[in-house]
Amino acid sequence: MGGDGNSAYGHKTFSRSRSHFGDRITADGRDGWPVAAGRYRLVVSRACPWASRAVVSRRLLGLEDALPMAVADPVQDDRSWRFTLDPGGRDPVLGIRFLSEAYDKRETGYPGGVSVPAVVDVPSGRLVTNDYQRLTLDLATEWTELHREGAPDLYPAGRRDEIDAVMAEVYADVNNGVYRAGFATHQEEYEEACAAVFRRLELLAERLAGQRYLVGDTITEADIRLFTTLVRFDAVYHGHFKCNRWKLAENPVLWAYARDLFQTPGFGDTVDFDHIKRHYYQVHTGINPTGIVPLGPDLGGWLTPHHRQGLGGRPFGEGKPPGPPAPGERVAARGRPA
């Protein structure tokens, strides 16, 4: 999620930028960046759905020690993502105040936006990649030597074509579709995007009515990518982005599916609703000029029974769930449902 031009949202047609830095961190190091425990730092915002994919994947795969994480302040200033949550306003490992400093070390005068997730090479302080589409796939397939015992296979080889097809539809109509609706500059543009969001959600509900997960009987990358939008739906997309034909909590299938994932270790324990709401309502001044953050909705329902176990499925396949988050990675209590 970029950090430039937030005041312009709602005043110009929305177009998501492609990731400019597409280097990959691989087992064989073919792009010059070999997988190595402790060499890289994952920079995220808990507010950002694209970054949250990486946070969830990292937890499920047990890469917390191998790939340490920096969490940016959800409220940006004109220099974009900043480390004001850390003592002294600097990331304690990279020693920088703003993520843009790592971008500048990679390419001086880079004209694009500063986005998360981003992976930074600790020894050099240079950005390695901001390719949010590829990053999590590589965590699942290239970092396998560093996965925890019992880690799930989030991108199984025999299912990749189906996973890719589902993810492409979810991306176009849901992940990116809510932004197209929320940042629309005229009525027709908004209505087209909003209609596509709900048309896809209804198709997904039909698919999930008879199966617990999107592809196969285990959690895959496709579920992670849908979850990070669904968990934000009622809190920000329904009101702030005007995707309000119905709430997630009003769709029995999708609401139960989202709660099932939320209550699965590695999903809900990474979610910070406080960061999510403050970022969207305070940063997107082009569509919320007052910066007022709404009190609702009531988030307590995320912990209610979902009854999806009756559909079968094995969340972690032949593996097992991750343990509890490390003390330094726990979400603050105010960010969790009551």
Side-chain angles (χ1 to χ4, degrees):
M1 181 183 289
D4 292 344
N6 292 299
S7 62
Y9 290 150
H11 299 289
K12 66 178 182 179
T13 299
F14 173 73
S15 177
R16 184 167 301 284
S17 301
R18 296 185 64 181
S19 299
H20 183 71
F21 301 102
D23 287 4
R24 294 175 59 189
I25 301 171
T26 57
D28 63 7
R30 56 186 175 272
D31 284 356
W33 306 107
V35 170
R39 174 171 174 175
Y40 307 101
R41 191 152 176 83
L42 174 66
V43 181
V44 303
S45 164
R46 291 193 185 274
C48 171
W50 319 98
S52 292
R53 296 175 178 181
V55 179
V56 172
S57 296
R58 173 177 171 273
R59 270 275 290 138
L60 294 177
L61 298 172
L63 291 171
E64 293 97 324
D65 292 336
L67 182 61
M69 184 172 73
V71 178
D73 192 316
V75 180
Q76 304 155 301
D77 66 12
D78 58 0
R79 290 163 292 186
S80 189
W81 300 107
R82 52 188 183 166
F83 297 105
T84 46
L85 301 180
D86 294 301
R90 291 183 183 273
D91 179 80
V93 174
L94 300 173
I96 57 177
R97 293 185 179 275
F98 300 92
L99 178 57
S100 59
E101 296 174 55
Y103 276 68
D104 288 341
K105 283 191 175 182
R106 172 66 186 268
E107 183 177 316
T108 303
Y110 161 63
V114 176
S115 63
V116 290
V119 179
V120 178
D121 177 50
V122 174
S124 67
R126 298 171 61 211
L127 177 78
V128 175
T129 181
N130 67 345
D131 190 345
Y132 62 94
Q133 296 283 47
R134 186 71 233 178
L135 173 58
T136 49
L137 300 181
D138 283 344
L139 292 181
T141 60
E142 298 288 339
W143 290 66
T144 52
E145 285 190 8
L146 298 175
H147 287 180
R148 65 179 175 85
E149 184 180 354
D153 185 353
L154 298 176
Y155 196 46
R159 292 279 191 171
R160 288 181 188 175
D161 288 346
E162 185 179 2
I163 291 170
D164 289 346
V166 171
M167 291 193 304
E169 294 170 344
V170 168
Y171 172 81
D173 294 338
V174 181
N175 299 148
N176 202 47
V178 293
Y179 284 85
R180 291 178 53 239
F183 296 145
T185 57
H186 55 79
Q187 189 69 28
E188 183 179 355
E189 180 187 2
Y190 158 72
E191 290 185 8
E192 179 184 352
C194 188
V197 169
F198 285 94
R199 183 168 57 248
R200 182 61 57 191
L201 289 177
E202 287 162 359
L203 290 171
L204 290 166
E206 290 178 12
R207 181 185 187 97
L208 290 163
Q211 61 189 65
R212 192 170 178 185
Y213 304 111
L214 283 172
V215 180
D217 66 350
T218 64
I219 291 166
T220 68
E221 174 78 12
D223 297 294
I224 296 172
R225 296 191 181 195
L226 179 56
F227 171 80
T228 57
T229 295
L230 294 185
V231 79
R232 289 161 173 77
F233 203 87
D234 289 1
V236 290
Y237 300 146
H238 181 270
H240 185 57
F241 278 177
K242 305 180 184 70
C243 293
N244 62 356
R245 283 186 54 195
W246 37 264
K247 294 180 179 179
L248 177 67
E250 294 169 347
N251 185 293
V253 172
L254 291 180
W255 178 223
Y257 166 78
R259 297 198 324 274
D260 185 4
L261 291 177
F262 187 92
Q263 294 170 33
T264 299
F267 284 86
D269 53 29
T270 69
V271 175
D272 192 321
F273 286 109
D274 174 67
H275 279 211
I276 290 168
K277 290 171 62 175
R278 287 196 292 122
H279 171 78
Y280 281 88
Y281 286 103
Q282 292 184 333
V283 172
H284 298 160
T285 55
I287 55 177
N288 188 40
T290 65
I292 292 173
V293 180
L295 294 175
D298 178 10
L299 300 170
W302 282 100
L303 299 179
T304 59
H306 53 77
H307 306 298
R308 295 277 294 178
Q309 301 95 329
L311 294 173
R314 304 165 300 147
F316 299 96
E318 301 299 326
K320 58 185 180 182
E329 303 229 345
R330 291 175 186 159
V331 175
R334 64 177 178 164
R336 306 279 280 121

